[in-house]
Structure formats: structure tokens, C-alpha cells
Amino acid sequence: MSRKIVFIFVSVLLCLYSKAQNPDSLELESVKAPKKYIIGGIRIEGAENSDKNVIRLLSKLDQGDPITIPSDKITDAIKTLWKQYLFESIEIYKEKVIGNDVFLVIKVVERPRLSKFAFRGDVKKSDADDIRGKIRLLKEKVITDYMIGTIKNTVHDFYLEKGFYFNKVDIIMEKDITAKTPHVILTIKVDKGSKVRIKEVNIIGNTILTDAQLRRKLKETKPKRWWNPFNSGKYLQENLENDLPAIGEKYSSKGYRDARVVKDTVYFVEPNKVNIDITVEEGDKYYFGKFKWYGNTKYRSTQLDTIVNIKPGEVYNQSKLEQKLFMNPNGFDISSLYMDDGYLFFNLTPQESNVHNDTIDYDIIIYEGKQATINKVTVKGNDKTNDHVIYREIRTRPGQLFRRSDIMRTQRELSQLTFFNPEKMNVVPTPNPADGTVDIEYTVEEKPSDQIELSGGYGGSALNSTSGLGTTTGAVGIIGTLGLKFNNFSMKNILKKESWRPLPSGDGQQLSIRGQTNGKAYQSYNFSFTEPWLGGKKPNSLTFSAFHTLFSNGVPEYLNRAEKVLNPANSNMSIWGGSFHFGRRLKWPDNYFSMFNSINYNHYNLHNYSSFIFTNGNANDINTNITIQRNSVDQPIYPKTGSNFTLLGQFTPPYSLFNHKNYADLTVNQRFQFIEYQKYKITAEWFTQLTNKKAAEGKEARNLVLRTKIGYGFLGYYNKNVGYSPFERFYVGGSGLSGFQNFVAREIIGLRGYPDNSLSASTGDPIVSRYTMELRYPITLNPQATIFVLGFAEAGNAYADFKTFNPFQVKRSAGIGLRVFLPMFGLLGIDYGWGFDNINQAGAGNGKGQFHFTIGGQLGEL
């Protein structure tokens, strides 16, 4: 009975199965004997959005080809089409057979395509923009399960990195009923939840180092504290894993080589807050023993011992040893010694040879190899700057011995050009051990370097006028400025029509045109051109500049212009001038030194202008300027390391010593018809990187930088009967920006926290001192918009003569500020400073604050 039931059940199943099959399906052919055909044609069915010819091509089934049915060709065609992730189902079947020709149908059901997508939930606009950039969804993109999973994981990880540990992401797909073909609308639903923050980090098992010392080594894993706005306190497992090795490194620097983190435990103490317990095992303290050198033939072991400078008995410090052997940021090391002498193939291996009690002896095994010669030097990435502008700055030349210091110096020189993004510069040396040569490739990324200034400002009080109507003060008022500065100009291509894109560029020359005016009261026009490599063979620069400035009270200059009848109510100062500057790089004392010489002429014409010792007449200033500078700053926009020392001397001919005039009998106008003076300025500036964070790939390394600067300025005379020149004096206080500047008639030295020109006499002073300290931190180092914040403390003062000069009798201030560098506008800044000392001006000093706006990186040259 049971056998009959089984037989009937199997028979029914076989009948149902046979009815369900397409009678022409190639799957049915698999149970039949193989038969050979010629493909008579292929028809594509169901492909509304996909290219039918592409489907035929991918299937590798062509009309006229022989085919055996069944065969692997059909299976391979289906597999190939599946790999395209375009279809939900694929079927290949026999449509008809005519003689020996078989006609096939490739039937597909297409996956839906993306119509549009949107976010739902607590998603900020900035977050949505960032997520769009990561998931890169485009209209008409085919929707696959893999793509949906990728979107969910990407969005989840995005919020996880922001500290939203329990965020949930759902993808909702809705059919787009407005589309003729299968399309869907995706909704990315996000529930961020609350951020998980760190409440406490507990260190367990430490006796040598304090909890605070070890917590400071955890750069990204810190408890949330209200007084620290820069620390969010968010918990990320990845940050903790990256921070833990720093604890072992800290112990190692103190001699505890075997110290390690035994375990770390993370547990919730509140719904959205965790504690982290870090258990350490300190081990014993170790000391350095003896060093033995093997394989060194170029340098004696005693020379290498001197460079390493680690004595037996000194506390063990793994980090110090590695710096002395491989890369010492603050001095010399063994690797630099060899690499700077051509030993590119040099290799060094330190080995612990003996550990006895608490002392470790080292064997240092050196493979010197052959000295490498530079074969080829190439540059890529410069799509605007001409090759010769870059190659003339490169210190690595074909045929020279390889030197690592030359590569580092080249990177610094290319950065100083300001044409390239310093954060994206790279150098790739490719050694060729077979012939002892090396190819060097420099990679640069162009950035905008030209600047345009289009602005308005308030000029305040411009001048004092003296006339028959008495003494009055004129206001310049609203000033309009238009300035153009091209830092990578090409004069030789100025007549070539094809080079105007929009301007001829690429030769590294500088062209600057600037105008300021408010109509009648103030006008200023400047022009300058610089050729940085005069002649093209040596780095000798030549600059020509010319200017015209006019200050007036706005009253017409003439009562009758045709008859040249002057208006007694008019007050003005007109200045014309020009200069030639010649600069050259020096090789002694080292190749960071430069010398600049200039010849300058300024002509002053005063009419009822009382801001100087005399109010009417002409004055001529013919002077020469000599500047010696040592500049090792790594980059101009946000310097991190290096220094800048400048010694300047500016001299006019000592007319009073050879013109045999009795200056005691001369009027003020006659005394200063030809101005004579001697002027000296000394400045010293240092940049020190206080932190050494390394950037992940594609990210910026943001490090704290300390800038310190000291400067003095002295204006002297040749003849006491002539006295101090009324021009070229120092005006101290404020930001150095007041809407207009006459940098020829006076020198303005900023001192934040006090009003403009409030720390010097109304006619200026001949001596000045200034001290500055700034702590800087970058918000972004993107070359399109470099932004950093700063805190400053500075002091300075102006002095009437050498008798009253006291470099420690200064006015002090402190404050905070922001700097923004935009390629088209240059460096812009805003500061708020508090002046601590009393001055003779109401509402200033004594702890009162001042806002200051700055253009450019310097507040005066000091």
C-alpha cells in the first residue's frame, strides 16, 4: 500500500514539472542528447534602458557561430550578464529552429534605476552635502543590493566618526510612478541618536608616571571638559586604538622599555557616557650601555659616537635613539650624514647585542653601498608655471651626488614661490641600484596666486591745514581701493595673443597696479614690476616702482587755474616718487642669506599742510637702501619652522657736511629742501612648531606654532643743527591700517590694543621698539582659503631721542585674532586687543579693548 502511494505522488510531481517548463527552454535540452546548430539570430527581450547590442556583445553569442545545445556557452553567457549587476533575472531560450539554424532569445528583467534620493531625519545640510560626496549617487544609476548596503554602511560610518555610536540608517525604496520605465526613489532615513562621550579616563597600575602625564599622550581620547572648547570628548574605538601605543612610547622615553598596556576596558556609566579604564604594566627601568659599529668605512666609529651622543649609563630612550640614527628634526643624525654625501643606498640596523641586568648594549650594523649620482630630474603638476621657473629653483641637478638636504631645500624654495600648494608637494626618488643612479620627480599642485583688491574703507582724519582761515582738520572719509597683483606674470608673452588666458603668465614675474581715492581729498596710485631672475641665469632680482600720492582738504587748488592763482584755503601734500631695487642671493655665511640694494627718489610738495615741521614748500628725498636678510622660513602663508633676520640701513647724502651752509641761519623750508638722514632697522623673527601631529592620507596636519619677533628702528641725523628729518619717522599704535597709508612720508608700526598712532608724537618719533609673541593654530590649510586663529602678547613704544630710549619702557597688550588668506585678496585679519598701560587718550589703554583690521602679514616692518 505504501509503495503505491509513493509511486502515485512521484508521478503527479513529474506531470506538474513537465507542464511548468517552457517547451523551448534550453534547460529542457540538458536532458536530451547534445545537438549541433548554427545561430541564425539573437533577439533581446525586456531591455528597455540597456543597450541591446552591448548585451549581445557581452553574451559572446554571435549570429553565424556554431553552437551545441546544451553547452557551456549558454551558461557562460548568463554568468557574464549577471556580473553586470543590471538585471534581476536572465533567461536564454530557443525561439525556433529552421533547418540547422537555431534562433535564440535573451530575456532579461532589468533592475530599477535611481530617479532621485533624499534624506529624512536629523540630517544637517552640511552633513547631507558631505554624505553626497561620499556615496556619489547619480540619477539613472542601477539599484543593486550591494549599492544599498554600501550606502547604509557609508552613512553609518559617517555619523560614527562624529561620535553618534548608536546611529541607525534605513533605506526606503519607493516606486516612481511618474517614470515610464522601472525607477525608484530612495529615502535615506537617519536616526543619529545621542553622541557617546567620554566621562573619565582612568589609569590603573601606574606608579612611575602620573595619570595626568599619561592622559596627555592620548591625543584623541580625552574626557569632555567645559573649559576646553577644542575637545568634543567623543568616544571612538578607532581613536582609542591609535592612542594607546603613545603610552608605551612615553614609558620608553623614561627608560621603561618593557612597559605596555595590559588591557583597556570601556563601559557605560550613563546612557550616553562611558568610562575608559587603561591598565598598564610598567616593568623595570633600563639604561644604555655600549655602542659598537660594524660596516662603516666612510666615517670612524668615534665620529658616529659623537653624532649619536648617547653615553653609557644614560637612561634608555627608544625615541631618542631612533632620532639620532634616522631622522632628527632638531639636529644632525647618522642617516643625514650618509644621505647628504650621496649614500642613497645606505642602510642601518640597530640590534640589541647584550642585555645585562638593567643595561642594554647595541650593535649598529651599517650597509653603506655606493654613492648615488642624480640621473634625471622631472617635475609634474605645473599646468600654469613654466618649467624653467621651477627648474631654476631646484637644487638637485643631473650629474650631482644625491643629497637629501638638497631635496628638502628644493621643497622650501618651491614653497616660497607661492605658486604651489605646500601641503600637496611631494618628491619621489627612484633609485637605480644597477648603475648607481637615482631619478627624482617633484610633484606640485598649482594654486591661485594672483590677487585683486576691491574694497572701501573709512580714512578718518587725514591732515591738518593751516590757512588764513585758521587751522582745521580734514577728514578723508570713505575711500575706494582697486588693486591688481599678478605674482606669476610673463612680460615676454604680453604681445602674444594666445597667451592672454586671461593674462600672460608662467614666468614668475610680479606686476602690481593699485589705486586709492575718495575724490578730491585723497588719491594714491602705485605701479611696480619685478623680474626675480634678471638675465635668467642667476637669482638676481630687479624691481622698478613708481607712485603718486595726494592729500588735500578737498578745496580747489586754484582760484583761477588759467592764471595759476593759488587758493589760500587749499591745503595739500603731493608726493611723487620712484625706485629701483636690486637683490641677490648670497652663498656666505650660508645660502639662506640675501642682499638687497635700492635707489629711491621722493619729491614732496606741501601747501598749508601742518602735519610736519614746515607747512609750505618742497622737499626732496634721495636715498639708498641696503638690506641684509637671512630667511629660512619654510613657507610664506602659514610658516611652521625657520627664522628671519633682517638688518636694514637707509641713507641720504650728508648734504650739510659738504654744502658749507650755516643751517642755524636757514629757514625750515631751506633746511629740508634736500632731506638728510640715516635710518636703521633690526628685526629677528622665529617660528617654532610646538606639536608634531601627523596627518592621515588626504587630510591636513594641524599643528600649534609659536611666532616670536623683536624689532628696533632708529632714525638719525648727520648734523645736530639740521636735526631729525620730518619725514621717515615712526608712528606707533593700532593695526597699521586706517583706510589709507602714506608709507613714504612716515612709517607706521602697529601695536594692537591701542588706537592708531597713539603711542608716538603727532609728528612721529625717531626711535621705536616692538616685541611680539603669537600662538597660532590652523583651522584649515586649504590653499583656496587658509584660516588660522591666534593669541598674541606684544609690547612696544616710540621715543623722542636716544636720551629717553629705554627698550624696557614699553606699552603692553594682549588679545586674540583671526587670519584668512584668500588667493585673490591676500592675507586679511581681525584682532581684538587689550592695552594694559595708561596713555594720554580717553577710552584707550588701562585694560580697554580695541578692534583692529589688517591687510597683509606684517603690522609695520617691525
Side-chain angles (χ1 to χ4, degrees):
M1 184 67 181
S2 60
R3 289 180 180 179
K4 290 182 180 180
I5 292 173
V6 170
F7 175 79
I8 293 170
F9 180 76
V10 171
S11 300
V12 170
L13 287 178
L14 288 174
C15 291
L16 291 173
Y17 178 76
S18 62
K19 289 181 179 180
Q21 296 300 309
N22 183 340
D24 295 322
S25 172
L26 296 182
E27 294 178 1
L28 188 63
E29 297 291 339
S30 62
V31 300
K32 299 180 180 179
K35 187 174 180 181
K36 294 183 178 180
Y37 295 95
I38 300 296
I39 298 177
I42 301 174
R43 183 169 62 86
I44 310 298
E45 184 178 318
E48 300 293 335
N49 295 308
S50 304
D51 190 318
K52 295 181 179 180
N53 291 325
V54 173
I55 295 176
R56 288 190 184 92
L57 183 65
L58 290 172
S59 71
K60 297 181 181 179
L61 299 174
D62 295 326
Q63 185 175 353
D65 287 353
I67 186 172
T68 301
I69 298 178
S71 72
D72 291 339
K73 279 190 175 183
I74 302 298
T75 304
D76 291 343
I78 293 175
K79 287 180 179 179
T80 301
L81 293 174
W82 269 122
K83 289 179 181 179
Q84 310 309 310
Y85 299 105
L86 297 174
F87 312 110
E88 289 185 344
S89 69
I90 304 168
E91 184 181 1
I92 301 178
Y93 62 87
K94 180 176 64 178
E95 185 176 28
K96 61 184 177 181
V97 175
I98 301 177
N100 202 34
D101 293 339
V102 61
F103 293 84
L104 303 178
V105 175
I106 301 177
K107 183 178 180 181
V108 298
V109 176
E110 293 180 312
R111 291 183 182 272
R113 294 176 179 261
L114 179 65
S115 178
K116 60 182 178 180
F117 73 97
F119 294 94
R120 184 187 300 174
D122 186 17
V123 181
K124 296 180 181 177
K125 182 180 182 302
S126 58
D127 290 349
D129 292 341
D130 292 340
I131 293 171
R132 286 189 185 96
K134 291 178 179 291
I135 60 179
R136 297 180 180 179
L137 282 180
L138 299 175
K139 189 176 181 180
E140 298 299 322
K141 193 169 185 178
V142 176
I143 304 297
T144 67
D145 293 339
Y146 176 79
M147 185 185 76
I148 297 298
T150 300
I151 294 172
K152 289 185 69 172
N153 291 335
T154 301
V155 177
H156 177 77
D157 291 345
F158 176 84
Y159 283 105
L160 189 63
E161 290 179 2
K162 290 180 172 288
F164 295 97
Y165 201 76
F166 298 112
N167 77 81
K168 296 179 181 179
V169 181
D170 291 320
I171 307 296
I172 301 172
M173 288 191 294
E174 298 176 294
K175 184 178 180 180
D176 187 356
I177 59 176
T178 63
K180 295 181 179 179
T181 56
H183 279 69
V184 297
I185 299 172
L186 287 186
T187 301
I188 304 172
K189 184 180 179 182
V190 178
D191 179 7
K192 295 191 300 187
S194 300
K195 281 188 176 182
V196 175
R197 301 186 187 275
I198 301 169
K199 185 175 183 181
E200 296 293 341
V201 176
N202 304 311
I203 310 296
I204 302 170
N206 57 310
T207 59
I208 304 302
L209 298 177
T210 66
D211 291 0
Q213 287 176 305
L214 296 177
R215 287 195 195 102
R216 280 196 292 269
K217 303 307 294 183
L218 304 175
K219 300 299 183 184
E220 303 295 336
T221 309
K222 295 181 180 294
K224 174 65 176 176
R225 296 291 184 257
W226 64 268
W227 63 80
N228 186 357
F230 300 105
N231 173 37
S232 65
K234 66 181 179 182
Y235 167 71
L236 291 177
Q237 179 65 26
E238 182 183 2
N239 288 348
L240 178 61
E241 292 174 357
N242 292 336
D243 283 345
L244 288 178
I247 291 180
E249 294 170 3
K250 179 66 175 178
Y251 271 106
S252 180
S253 68
K254 301 296 182 181
Y256 293 86
R257 183 189 66 157
D258 299 331
R260 63 191 182 96
V261 175
V262 178
K263 66 176 181 177
D264 59 274
T265 306
V266 182
Y267 54 95
F268 281 89
V269 291
E270 295 179 22
N272 296 305
K273 289 187 178 180
V274 297
N275 278 1
I276 301 175
D277 292 346
I278 300 174
T279 304
V280 299
E281 187 179 275
E282 295 179 326
D284 298 324
K285 189 173 186 177
Y286 287 86
Y287 300 86
F288 283 115
K290 297 179 181 179
F291 286 85
K292 293 183 179 179
W293 302 88
Y294 297 92
N296 53 308
T297 59
K298 176 69 176 179
Y299 301 101
R300 298 189 305 272
S301 296
T302 54
Q303 291 177 281
L304 302 180
D305 285 334
T306 301
I307 294 173
V308 171
N309 195 27
I310 296 177
K311 307 298 181 184
E314 190 173 324
V315 174
Y316 177 86
N317 186 335
Q318 180 69 25
S319 176
K320 180 179 179 180
L321 177 61
E322 290 178 354
Q323 285 188 2
K324 294 290 187 177
L325 294 179
F326 300 108
M327 180 62 73
N328 185 4
N330 301 316
F332 212 36
D333 57 82
I334 302 299
S335 178
S336 296
L337 178 69
Y338 276 93
M339 290 285 192
D340 284 345
D341 200 16
Y343 289 92
L344 174 63
F345 309 108
F346 159 86
N347 189 23
L348 180 152
T349 306
Q351 295 181 350
E352 295 182 2
S353 61
N354 187 20
V355 180
H356 46 99
N357 297 324
D358 59 358
T359 303
I360 304 173
D361 296 333
Y362 272 93
D363 288 345
I364 312 295
I365 301 172
I366 292 177
Y367 171 74
E368 294 179 336
K370 296 180 180 180
Q371 288 177 301
T373 303
I374 298 172
N375 180 33
K376 291 191 301 183
V377 178
T378 56
V379 178
K380 71 174 185 179
N382 56 313
D383 50 15
K384 176 181 177 181
T385 305
N386 293 326
D387 286 346
H388 73 272
V389 174
I390 301 177
Y391 281 113
R392 69 193 184 189
E393 301 291 347
I394 291 177
R395 301 296 178 97
T396 53
R397 303 295 176 86
Q400 293 180 346
L401 281 178
F402 172 84
R403 299 183 191 278
R404 186 170 66 182
S405 60
D406 288 342
I407 290 180
M408 297 173 68
R409 182 61 184 275
T410 296
Q411 288 181 298
R412 186 254 178 195
E413 297 300 329
L414 293 179
S415 178
Q416 290 292 320
L417 291 175
T418 72
F419 306 154
F420 311 113
N421 180 3
E423 301 297 322
K424 295 295 180 68
M425 282 187 188
N426 192 25
V427 57
V428 181
T430 305
N432 306 306
D435 59 3
T437 63
V438 57
D439 297 332
I440 301 176
E441 180 183 79
Y442 294 95
T443 303
V444 297
E445 181 184 274
E446 298 266 9
K447 69 173 186 177
S449 58
D450 298 331
Q451 298 175 11
I452 182 172
E453 181 183 356
L454 181 60
S455 62
Y458 184 75
S461 298
L463 53 86
N464 294 322
S465 62
T466 302
S467 66
L469 302 175
T471 301
T472 60
T473 299
V476 174
I478 302 298
I479 296 172
T481 301
L482 175 62
L484 300 172
K485 186 176 181 181
F486 308 105
N487 290 309
N488 196 0
F489 193 70
S490 176
M491 184 62 75
K492 72 177 182 181
N493 292 325
I494 198 168
L495 298 179
K496 296 180 180 179
K497 183 179 180 181
E498 64 274 12
S499 298
W500 289 78
R501 298 173 302 174
L503 288 168
S505 61
D507 281 341
Q509 298 165 335
Q510 292 183 2
L511 177 67
S512 175
I513 304 171
R514 189 171 186 262
Q516 284 187 309
T517 184
N518 79 329
K520 297 179 180 180
Y522 172 68
Q523 298 177 35
S524 179
Y525 309 97
N526 301 271
F527 169 85
S528 71
F529 175 78
T530 299
E531 168 53 70
W533 281 65
L534 186 63
K537 295 183 178 180
K538 293 184 178 180
N540 298 328
S541 64
L542 179 66
T543 300
F544 166 72
S545 63
F547 71 93
H548 169 59
T549 301
L550 174 67
F551 293 98
S552 82
N553 60 359
V555 177
E557 183 177 4
Y558 296 96
L559 292 174
N560 188 326
R561 179 172 292 274
E563 299 180 6
K564 302 295 184 181
V565 178
L566 292 173
N567 187 346
N570 171 262
S571 176
N572 69 71
M573 177 175 68
S574 176
I575 312 170
W576 293 87
S579 64
F580 285 94
H581 297 258
F582 179 77
R584 61 184 183 276
R585 299 178 190 176
L586 305 179
K587 296 182 179 180
W588 184 88
D590 64 32
N591 54 19
Y592 286 106
F593 276 84
S594 301
M595 177 179 284
F596 303 92
N597 303 87
S598 67
I599 298 176
N600 314 287
Y601 173 70
N602 308 311
H603 175 76
Y604 304 91
N605 188 308
L606 284 74
H607 177 67
N608 294 336
Y609 194 86
S610 62
S611 291
F612 294 94
I613 294 177
F614 64 95
T615 59
N616 289 278
N618 297 317
N620 298 278
D621 179 4
I622 303 173
N623 68 77
T624 182
N625 180 305
I626 301 174
T627 303
I628 297 176
Q629 182 183 47
R630 186 188 187 276
N631 185 355
S632 62
V633 172
D634 61 337
Q635 53 180 286
I637 305 304
Y638 185 76
K640 303 185 183 92
T641 61
S643 59
N644 188 5
F645 300 92
T646 303
L647 174 63
L648 178 146
Q650 186 170 320
F651 312 94
T652 65
Y655 304 108
S656 64
L657 300 184
F658 54 74
N659 62 12
H660 306 296
K661 291 182 180 180
N662 184 357
Y663 278 77
D665 297 333
L666 298 179
T667 64
V668 176
N669 293 36
Q670 293 172 330
R671 210 188 329 160
F672 294 111
Q673 184 176 5
F674 285 91
I675 305 169
E676 65 174 39
Y677 60 84
Q678 47 185 322
K679 188 176 185 179
Y680 307 91
K681 288 190 289 186
I682 304 170
T683 62
E685 184 178 30
W686 298 266
F687 293 92
T688 307
Q689 184 172 300
L690 300 181
T691 58
N692 191 31
K693 289 185 179 180
K694 304 297 183 182
E697 185 176 353
K699 295 187 177 181
E700 303 168 345
R702 301 177 186 176
N703 286 293
L704 201 62
V705 175
L706 176 66
R707 171 183 179 252
T708 51
K709 188 172 185 180
I710 182 173
Y712 298 99
F714 305 94
L715 179 66
Y717 51 77
Y718 299 108
N719 188 333
K720 69 166 68 175
N721 291 324
V722 178
Y724 293 110
S725 166
F727 304 97
E728 295 293 335
R729 296 190 180 192
F730 300 103
Y731 293 74
V732 183
S735 62
L737 173 69
S738 58
F740 69 96
Q741 291 300 337
N742 176 8
F743 290 109
V744 180
R746 59 183 66 178
E747 183 165 347
I748 297 175
I749 306 297
L751 188 67
R752 293 163 286 186
Y754 297 95
D756 289 350
N757 308 335
S758 62
L759 303 181
S760 53
S762 61
T763 56
D765 285 310
I767 303 174
V768 65
S769 64
R770 185 167 181 265
Y771 314 93
T772 303
M773 182 178 292
E774 288 183 352
L775 199 59
R776 299 175 167 187
Y777 185 79
I779 296 174
T780 173
L781 296 175
N782 189 321
Q784 303 297 328
T786 302
I787 305 173
F788 61 90
V789 294
L790 59 89
F792 68 86
E794 60 186 6
N797 209 350
Y799 311 89
D801 52 39
F802 280 94
K803 291 182 180 180
T804 60
F805 172 59
N806 183 345
F808 302 107
Q809 183 181 337
V810 292
K811 306 298 183 183
R812 301 159 299 166
S813 67
I816 56 176
L818 174 73
R819 296 290 181 273
V820 178
F821 177 81
L822 301 174
M824 290 296 288
F825 296 96
L827 190 63
L828 311 175
I830 181 173
D831 299 287
Y832 191 83
W834 292 268
F836 299 140
D837 296 297
N838 185 34
I839 62 173
N840 296 322
Q841 184 169 333
N846 283 331
K848 295 182 174 63
Q850 297 275 333
F851 272 109
H852 302 284
F853 299 91
T854 60
I855 296 178
Q858 303 292 334
L859 303 178
E861 291 190 11
L862 299 183

